[in-house]
Amino acid sequence: MADSVLKPDNSKIDLSPEQFRRFVEAASRAPSPDNNQPWCFRRSGSGIDVLHVRGRALPSDIDDYFSWQALGPAIENIVLSASCENLRADVRYHARPFAESTDGELVATVEFSSGAESDPLAKFIDERVSNRRPYKSVPLAESETAALEQSLHDPQCKLLWLTQPADLKALAKLVYITDRIRFEHQPFHDEFHKVLRYDDAQAKETGDGLDLKTLEIPAFAIPIFKWVRPWKRMKLANHFGLSAMFAGNSKQLVRKSGAIGLLLTTQASDERYLEAGRSLQRVWLACAAAGLAFQPMGGLPMFLTQFARKGRDAFVPEHAVRLAEIVEPFYDLFPAAREHTLVMLFRIGMAPPPSARSLRYPLERIISREDN
Ligand SMILES: Cc1cc2nc3c(=O)[nH]c(=O)nc-3n(C[C@H](O)[C@H](O)[C@H](O)COP(=O)(O)O)c2cc1C
């Protein structure tokens, strides 16, 4: 990937220390897989360096594809916040091998010049949230999904939609299959329990991970989650149908949605995924602006991507068989996805606000030590 400059400008503006902190604060509000916040920020001349903290990346990530869907939204939040101060932000993506420092890998640099108009999506940066409640089963109108498409940032991204109950039902079956694999494979189980935060104290202490309350887990079920933390117990519980029960919940949630969206891009490259991450954030913010709840469903596209790239050998045989069986039904539901690269699947709809919000690291932890 060559270094690329979007909208070059010669009259760069130096950020004040307060502006730098404001933009980093906005970046930190971005979503990230399992709330891992794999980012760090540094002042660079007149701009901001965006660093990837590999030590926080998910072990199950494929070529950083999930991390880029967190860094892309963080970058978009910087661009949006800058627009509110009439600053135009130009994003330059760096090529591999990324320059490394003790704080992370240099993935992008954002530079600022004067002349932007305030982007109305910026107002929703703090409101955007993952909402894992059941939504109203009222299909979104075509005009509503078309309006969301207007918010895409990258012309190489595309959104496909399912709104009809029969299609949601068909997709729910595929989500069920991949969710069961998540609960029935020890590496995924261990990864999940490493990021679970069982109570407020633990959530506050770490400032990251998945607070069970944000997962809408009812209080009575929390002891079950704690009990099955050791893989041996989970394996035993799966014999009695626990993985089927958990995956069954996801299946219901897919059906209880106003629409399912699939975000695609043209190529599996760092730059395309980062740009797609920016688009994901814009669509999510546009949903917040429209009063629509949003939940990413990363499992299905992640498994399909892994299966397509690494083949059957990357999975235990019984999971490889199940995954092979869902590829065609998935592309039958989204025929236009065959010529594209999968980015993210998500559900949207009308719902009450989530029971809890996820926390973030303090700014000191995500600002490079050189700037602290
Ligand atoms: C790449 C990516 C994948 C995600 N996958 C899922 C998922 O499969 N299921 C889910 O409920 N949330 C998923 N999320 C949402 C994150 O868990 C969420 O952004 C994070 O916990 C922070 O919470 P917030 O979005 O409410 O700020 C994903 C987010 C990203 C960026």
Side-chain angles (χ1 to χ4, degrees):
M1 180 180 75
D3 275 12
S4 66
V5 182
L6 303 178
K7 301 184 204 152
D9 191 299
N10 293 325
S11 52
K12 300 295 174 212
I13 280 179
D14 277 335
L15 294 184
S16 69
E18 295 74 27
Q19 273 175 318
F20 172 70
R21 283 182 79 83
R22 270 201 299 279
F23 296 168
V24 170
E25 167 84 52
S28 78
R29 301 284 120 216
S32 60
D34 292 350
N35 196 23
N36 66 348
Q37 305 164 60
W39 45 58
C40 188
F41 304 90
R42 180 174 70 194
R43 286 172 71 90
S44 97
S46 55
I48 298 180
D49 278 341
V50 180
L51 309 172
H52 177 228
V53 183
R54 187 159 293 282
R56 294 191 209 134
L58 293 196
S60 61
D61 203 345
I62 316 156
D63 304 331
D64 304 320
Y65 138 100
F66 262 10
S67 278
W68 297 165
Q69 290 183 61
L71 263 59
I75 290 170
E76 186 60 23
N77 281 2
I78 294 176
V79 174
L80 289 169
S81 310
S83 82
C84 297
E85 304 192 19
N86 300 116
L87 292 180
R88 203 181 77 187
D90 299 323
V91 182
R92 184 156 47 97
Y93 298 110
H94 298 286
R96 286 185 199 247
F98 302 121
E100 280 190 55
S101 71
T102 45
D103 293 314
E105 302 164 321
L106 179 60
V107 170
T109 299
V110 189
E111 290 182 307
F112 304 89
S113 52
S114 58
E117 278 184 26
S118 179
D119 189 318
L121 288 181
K123 277 197 290 209
F124 298 92
I125 287 176
D126 287 337
E127 272 174 52
R128 183 217 55 81
V129 66
S130 298
N131 189 331
R132 301 176 177 99
R133 286 185 186 274
Y135 305 164
K136 266 193 190 163
S137 309
V138 178
L140 256 71
E142 217 176 301
S143 57
E144 291 174 287
T145 52
L148 294 173
E149 285 168 31
Q150 298 301 313
S151 62
L152 284 181
H153 150 80
D154 174 10
Q156 296 195 45
C157 278
K158 192 178 173 65
L159 274 173
L160 303 179
W161 299 101
L162 300 180
T163 53
Q164 294 314 303
D167 290 338
L168 266 49
K169 189 175 172 189
L171 183 79
K173 280 191 196 158
L174 311 184
V175 168
Y176 173 82
I177 291 168
T178 47
D179 255 40
R180 271 192 74 168
I181 296 177
R182 278 173 105 166
F183 293 115
E184 292 176 7
H185 189 50
Q186 186 178 0
F188 295 133
H189 168 87
D190 291 346
E191 184 175 313
F192 182 54
H193 279 267
K194 220 170 155 185
V195 300
L196 279 188
R197 307 290 174 247
Y198 301 101
D199 52 44
D200 289 349
Q202 202 190 13
K204 275 195 195 127
E205 189 190 318
T206 61
D208 62 11
L210 297 171
D211 177 349
L212 279 177
K213 267 201 243 151
T214 67
L215 300 186
E216 305 296 343
I217 306 292
F220 75 84
I222 291 178
I224 304 178
F225 273 82
K226 284 186 181 166
W227 191 80
V228 296
R229 186 178 181 148
W231 171 242
K232 265 190 193 163
R233 289 188 190 167
M234 183 71 190
K235 225 171 133 189
L236 179 72
N238 284 343
H239 279 298
F240 294 97
L242 193 65
S243 60
M245 196 180 96
F246 287 164
N249 183 51
S250 309
K251 188 174 168 180
Q252 284 310 315
L253 289 178
V254 172
R255 296 184 67 175
K256 290 189 176 176
S257 303
I260 298 293
L262 178 66
L263 180 66
L264 303 165
T265 186
T266 48
Q267 220 190 322
S269 69
D270 296 322
E271 184 164 334
R272 292 271 62 81
Y273 281 134
L274 284 157
E275 287 277 291
R278 292 181 62 186
S279 285
L280 173 70
Q281 175 71 351
R282 292 184 64 85
V283 175
W284 202 333
L285 293 169
C287 284
L292 290 167
F294 187 114
Q295 181 189 5
M297 296 185 297
L300 182 52
M302 185 271 281
F303 277 118
L304 290 174
T305 301
Q306 176 103 318
F307 194 67
R309 280 197 210 165
K310 305 216 164 131
R312 288 172 174 265
D313 294 345
F315 298 89
V316 296
E318 65 170 297
H319 294 160
V321 170
R322 286 192 230 162
L323 286 172
E325 283 170 5
I326 66 170
V327 176
E328 278 311 304
F330 177 83
Y331 286 104
D332 285 347
L333 281 169
F334 296 107
R338 288 184 198 272
E339 291 87 49
H340 286 80
T341 300
L342 301 181
V343 180
M344 183 53 79
L345 190 71
F346 55 89
R347 52 188 282 267
I348 57 178
M350 299 299 293
S355 304
R357 297 191 65 115
S358 61
L359 301 178
R360 292 293 187 276
Y361 293 136
L363 281 196
E364 285 56 42
R365 179 134 185 226
I366 59 162
I367 290 179
S368 166
R369 272 159 282 181
E370 295 156 38
D371 285 305
N372 266 319

